[in-house]
Amino acid sequence: MALADILPRTRRLLPAGLPVSVALSLFWLAAMLICAALADLLRPYPITRMDLAARLAPPLTPHHWLGTDELGRDVLSRLIQSVRVSLVIAFGATILSAVFGTTLGFLAAKARGWVEHAVVMLADFQAALPFLIMALAVLAFFGSSMPLLVGLMGFYGWERYARIARGLAISAGAQGYAAAVVQLGASPARVYLRHILPNVASTLIVSMTLTFPEIVLMESGLSFLGLGVQPPETSLGNMVGFGRDYLTTAPWIMLAPAVVITLTTLSISLAGDWLRDRLDPTIR
Amino acid sequence: MLRFVALRLARALATVIAVMTFAFVVLRLSGDPAQVMLGPDVPQEAVEAFRRSWGLDAPLWQQYLAYLGAIFRGDFGVSMRDHSPALALVLERVPATLQLTIPALILKLGLGIPAGVYAALHRDSLIDRGVILLAVAGFTIPSFVLGLVLVLIFAVTLGVLPSGGSGTWVHGILPTLTISIGGIGVLARFSRSAMIEVMGQPYIRTAAAKGVKWRNVVRGHALPNAAVPIVTLVGFMVGSLIAGAVVVETIFSWPGIGRLLIVSVSNRDLAVVQCILLLIAAVMVVSNLVVDLLYGALDPRLRAQPTT
């Protein structure tokens, strides 16, 4: 069957209005989530198990479908574990940064005055110092550990949430519904969490879909430089970093995680764009 | 207007001081540099002498004030490794980094903006879809993956370009490409959406309706308006001319600021790291300031309400 025949057919199988690229992205992301959730079941070997008889085995070797690395460790097993580690870090960090940024943004909108100035100044500071540089300084001097890495990545992009949340909360505060619940005697926490937050949530969610792939890239960049996830634990960037030494003799060690990183961030971007078109009222 | 400039300058200065404070806090509180520089087996007297000579025995707030004072006098300290002035060490690496990032910036502007504008003017055409796809692919590939794949293709497989090092302009080709591809994608997509937004405005319809030639509508009415948001992004790219090549310089062993940063960070060379952090932040702050002032020139509406 020609490609031109297949495309309309598959399109008919999809829900109306869902582009093929978005459907493929969602499919890939679902696969990655399953991979991360069931990593322990899916992994053919433990990630540190060495098969010294089959070092640097190329892909499609029986028992090692994606080949092995310089110590004879199974690339597929390490890849599955890496997906889990990288996604867990990225999820944790995205949520931390959204909560932290939104809280500061609401605080600035509620308190105004010097609190607002302080938040705006912190956001300026964050925007002036590229995150990678800041993270390099912190990680190199404190040493890398999992909690520090997640905590640090949790600062990624908080200033965007803070700006958005502050702007939206100020304009929401001027609207009738917020003034009405304030008049009814609701506490500030209730006004912000129960009434204003749901009204601005869609914009914040869109912002999260933008931050998430950037955090994946940032973590893999740091791990690639040897300052993120530390061995024996493995992450996607860390695999690329170590695979780099075998670029000429065993490129699959580096290519397998590289393909996964690229497809994942690409999928999140495509799905995120689609989501933004549907959710974000400001760009309609 | 004067008040606006003064306010912006004050904010820029506050940001730079915040970065200085950050550098001080992180680098001083993370451990004792004397131990790291001298190693574990040094007698206590030697450690004390080292700390005295670097002023590390004073209370922290005195160290902080001394540090701020020294920076404002233009004294960035000396490298703890080879005792040469940190500022000189850092500045001598700047040209190498700019050799990569300036051509990359030209590529980003020269390819990204025209591609985005063309795609916006031919919305939903085949070329438009192609531009979007390439743009998204361009900025979702991490630079270290892109760099290594380019090495794999052009150095390992084809053998036509060097895989790393510096010296001739040929060495700069792969690093420059690696840096620019992501930026081209970002700019193309951003210019496209800025242009689409502008083309939907009533004044474009009015201009077209009163019989202005299409070419002149685009040139005279659409492009200047779409330029305002694009300038912000370009300002950010100019601001990261120094900082934007850390990973790529590491991949290609290019002797620029990024390599120096990674090396100094692993040596815990406080003065050099501080100096690089400040240089990066200063460049970023200045370019943001210029963008803010440019807004006034580009958008007459902002001139009317200068304090916002």
Side-chain angles (χ1 to χ4, degrees):
Chain A
M1 207 184 313
L3 192 66
D5 295 330
I6 298 174
L7 274 179
R9 272 164 195 266
T10 44
R11 189 160 286 173
R12 238 174 287 138
L13 294 174
L14 298 171
L18 191 68
V20 179
S21 62
V22 176
L24 285 175
S25 304
L26 292 174
F27 178 76
W28 175 261
L29 291 176
M32 286 300 103
L33 284 180
I34 291 170
C35 203
L38 304 178
D40 293 329
L41 299 174
L42 291 172
R43 222 170 26 221
Y45 303 95
I47 57 163
T48 49
R49 157 88 74 81
M50 300 180 209
D51 184 351
L52 294 174
R55 274 180 296 170
L56 298 177
L60 300 182
T61 306
H63 310 297
H64 298 294
W65 296 111
L66 287 178
T68 60
D69 65 8
E70 74 281 9
L71 295 171
R73 296 176 300 190
D74 185 47
V75 170
L76 179 63
S77 303
R78 295 180 65 76
L79 194 60
I80 291 172
Q81 178 69 13
S82 295
V83 167
R84 162 182 264 182
V85 171
S86 291
L87 285 189
V88 165
I89 293 177
F91 266 116
T94 306
I95 290 168
L96 271 181
S97 128
V99 170
F100 179 63
T102 309
T103 310
L104 279 186
F106 279 173
L107 206 65
K110 167 84 180 103
R112 309 304 291 259
W114 68 269
V115 176
E116 188 174 22
H117 282 295
V119 170
V120 170
M121 216 192 85
L122 274 179
D124 274 0
F125 158 71
Q126 186 74 73
L129 197 58
F131 191 84
L132 179 69
I133 308 290
M134 194 184 99
L136 274 178
V138 173
L139 287 173
F141 286 92
F142 287 98
S144 188
S145 66
M146 207 57 156
L148 180 64
L149 192 61
V150 177
L152 187 64
M153 300 308 298
F155 281 102
Y156 185 91
W158 72 267
E159 79 276 10
R160 279 182 247 163
Y161 298 105
R163 286 204 177 117
I164 296 170
R166 172 177 160 269
L168 292 173
I170 288 175
S171 58
Q175 280 173 23
Y177 74 91
V181 281
V182 171
Q183 291 296 313
L184 285 171
S187 67
R190 192 180 169 86
V191 176
Y192 277 94
L193 295 181
R194 296 289 299 273
H195 296 276
I196 292 183
L197 188 60
N199 279 289
V200 303
S202 63
T203 314
L204 292 173
I205 290 171
V206 166
S207 201
M208 286 169 85
T209 66
L210 291 177
T211 323
F212 187 84
E214 290 173 10
I215 290 181
V216 172
L217 291 184
M218 189 60 69
E219 178 269 316
S220 45
L222 284 171
S223 299
F224 171 79
L225 291 172
L227 289 162
V229 174
Q230 299 294 318
E233 191 52 90
T234 173
S235 86
L236 293 170
N238 166 315
M239 280 183 83
V240 177
F242 287 110
R244 183 187 160 204
D245 298 337
Y246 297 86
L247 193 62
T248 44
T249 48
W252 56 87
I253 304 176
M254 171 240 140
L255 284 175
V259 167
V260 171
I261 299 174
T262 309
L263 282 181
T264 307
T265 48
L266 184 66
S267 302
I268 302 169
S269 286
L270 290 174
D273 277 356
W274 175 76
L275 198 66
R276 176 168 39 171
D277 290 348
R278 317 207 119 206
L279 280 182
D280 192 349
T282 59
I283 59 158
R284 214 169 272 155
Chain B
M1 191 64 197
L2 206 66
R3 191 181 132 80
F4 173 65
V5 173
L7 236 143
R8 289 299 310 159
L9 272 175
R11 262 177 76 174
L13 193 67
T15 311
V16 171
I17 291 180
V19 173
M20 288 179 188
T21 311
F22 167 80
F24 181 83
V25 169
V26 167
L27 306 192
R28 294 298 153 92
L29 295 191
S30 58
D32 186 353
Q35 290 289 342
V36 177
M37 296 299 293
L38 297 176
D41 304 324
V42 180
Q44 192 60 34
E45 298 86 71
V47 173
E48 293 298 327
F50 180 88
R51 304 179 81 175
R52 255 197 313 281
S53 67
W54 290 100
L56 294 171
D57 53 348
L60 212 56
W61 63 269
Q62 276 183 15
Q63 288 187 37
Y64 177 65
L65 288 183
Y67 158 78
L68 283 190
I71 287 177
F72 280 112
R73 285 195 308 274
D75 173 11
F76 289 83
V78 294
S79 160
M80 288 181 173
R81 282 277 145 182
D82 56 7
H83 301 277
S84 49
L87 187 64
L89 264 182
V90 172
L91 289 183
E92 90 185 16
R93 297 294 193 99
V94 170
T97 294
L98 292 182
Q99 270 170 29
L100 295 184
T101 49
I102 290 183
L105 182 68
I106 295 172
L107 276 179
K108 289 178 201 174
L109 299 181
L111 293 175
I113 297 179
V117 169
Y118 186 89
L121 293 177
H122 300 81
R123 206 178 164 183
D124 293 329
S125 68
L126 214 59
I127 293 182
D128 180 31
R129 279 155 199 262
V131 166
I132 298 177
L133 199 71
L134 283 178
V136 174
F139 71 77
T140 47
I141 298 179
S143 58
F144 58 91
V145 167
L146 186 62
L148 291 179
V149 169
L150 288 178
V151 167
L152 199 58
I153 296 174
F154 290 100
V156 178
T157 311
L158 298 178
V160 289
L161 289 170
S163 66
S166 60
T168 64
W169 65 274
V170 183
H171 287 92
I173 296 179
L174 287 185
T176 306
L177 269 183
T178 311
I179 298 172
S180 52
I181 284 178
I184 294 173
V186 171
L187 254 183
R189 206 165 80 131
F190 197 78
S191 324
R192 176 179 176 275
S193 55
M195 197 64 186
I196 284 178
E197 170 133 13
V198 167
M199 294 305 283
Q201 297 293 321
Y203 54 76
I204 296 293
R205 201 177 343 132
T206 310
K210 74 180 184 192
V212 178
K213 267 197 214 135
W214 185 239
R215 171 184 289 267
N216 292 342
V217 172
V218 172
R219 275 200 196 151
H221 298 255
L223 283 178
N225 283 293
V228 176
I230 295 174
V231 162
T232 317
L233 189 64
V234 173
F236 179 76
M237 287 179 169
V238 171
S240 51
L241 277 178
I242 298 280
V246 175
V247 173
V248 173
E249 282 176 10
T250 309
I251 295 174
F252 292 98
S253 326
W254 188 267
I257 291 280
R259 270 274 298 292
L260 181 66
L261 178 67
I262 301 276
V263 170
S264 312
V265 146
S266 51
N267 288 339
R268 300 196 49 152
D269 197 338
L270 300 187
V272 176
V273 176
Q274 263 167 4
C275 196
I276 296 178
L277 283 183
L278 285 179
L279 178 68
I280 287 171
V283 171
M284 197 62 118
V285 165
V286 169
S287 75
N288 281 346
L289 192 66
V290 171
V291 166
D292 276 352
L293 299 180
L294 261 182
Y295 269 173
L298 277 173
D299 192 341
R301 281 170 303 186
L302 293 177
R303 250 173 283 162
Q305 28 180 294
T307 43
T308 47

